[in-house]
Amino acid sequence: MAARDYGQYSGITRALELVGERWALLIIRDLLVGPRRYGELAAGLPRIPSNILAARLKELQAAGVIRRAPRSRVIVYELTPYGRELEPVVLALGAWGFKALDDPRDEQVITPDSMTMDLRTAFRPQVALELPATAYAARLGAAELLIRVDGSSLDVKRGAGPADLAFAFEAGAGVRRLLSGELAPDHAITTGAVEILRGRGDLLERFARTFHLAA
């Protein structure tokens, strides 16, 4: 039985009974990036109480959305094929929520997994197909990511990438306005909203064309 029973018969109702409890979709969001140990999930959701995290994992397992799996002598949580079907739902929900975002407040964090999923949401493969393959090292809030775009293929990994990478930049509060097109890349650089750490500034314009979300 679901933790919450709405007493209605419909697909949306059943979906909410399975993944609508608080924190559940954020756990799924992070597992869409990749399998995670319990401690990694807790670190990526710093405000989640440990008893709630344990309860949500148990409920999602019972629903067949996630499973526990042994990996290199440790246990990780990963999405089942049924759980991975939620990816387009999560991406669409992220695009919808982006429209209501303001700049991040001081107490709000940007995690590598949350930013990875935001980049997947903003990725425009049809635009990327017309641009040269590019690798970006991006520091977004506290998250450091290596972003590789090759045609319609997007690969995002944690870390700053190799030291000889051609282009690296840092964007804090300006990342939302850059992705929405509210802040033009050249203006973002001149105002300091985005700092070019390495490489040609015109590559930021390529990044902004490749990743875009309507505000």
Side-chain angles (χ1 to χ4, degrees), residues 15-114:
L16 287 175
E17 289 172 351
L18 295 177
V19 301
E21 292 289 328
R22 192 177 185 205
W23 297 104
L25 276 177
L26 294 184
I27 293 170
I28 292 165
R29 177 201 66 187
D30 288 1
L31 291 180
L32 281 167
V33 178
R36 295 286 181 263
R37 298 193 299 270
Y38 181 94
E40 291 172 327
L41 286 170
L45 301 168
R47 289 193 179 185
I48 189 170
S50 59
N51 63 317
I52 297 298
L53 176 56
R56 293 294 169 267
L57 291 172
K58 183 177 180 180
E59 292 161 4
L60 291 170
Q61 285 180 79
V65 175
I66 69 172
R67 63 190 169 204
R68 284 160 50 96
R71 294 284 177 87
S72 302
R73 300 181 181 179
V74 299
I75 297 296
V76 299
Y77 293 89
E78 64 182 11
L79 292 167
T80 63
Y82 180 53
R84 291 207 68 86
E85 291 177 15
L86 284 164
E87 181 165 5
V89 178
V90 173
L91 294 179
L93 192 61
W96 184 77
F98 185 83
K99 298 175 186 293
L101 273 183
D102 295 319
D103 287 343
R105 302 188 301 272
D106 290 342
E107 72 274 14
Q108 290 180 311
V109 298
I110 298 175
T111 69
D113 287 349
S114 70

Side-chain angles (χ1 to χ4, degrees), residues 32-33 84 87 91 116-123 154:
L32 281 167
V33 178
R84 291 207 68 86
E87 181 165 5
L91 294 179
T116 295
M117 291 305 293
D118 282 347
L119 288 170
R120 284 192 195 174
T121 303
F123 182 52
L154 169 65

Side-chain angles (χ1 to χ4, degrees), residues 141-157:
E144 288 190 335
L145 298 173
L146 175 60
I147 306 160
R148 296 187 183 275
V149 179
D150 188 354
S152 61
S153 173
L154 169 65
D155 181 58
V156 183
K157 290 186 174 9

Side-chain angles (χ1 to χ4, degrees), residues 163-180:
D164 60 349
L165 191 70
F167 184 66
F169 70 96
E170 178 175 5
V175 66
R176 179 193 65 82
R177 287 173 284 150
L178 184 65
L179 291 177
S180 69

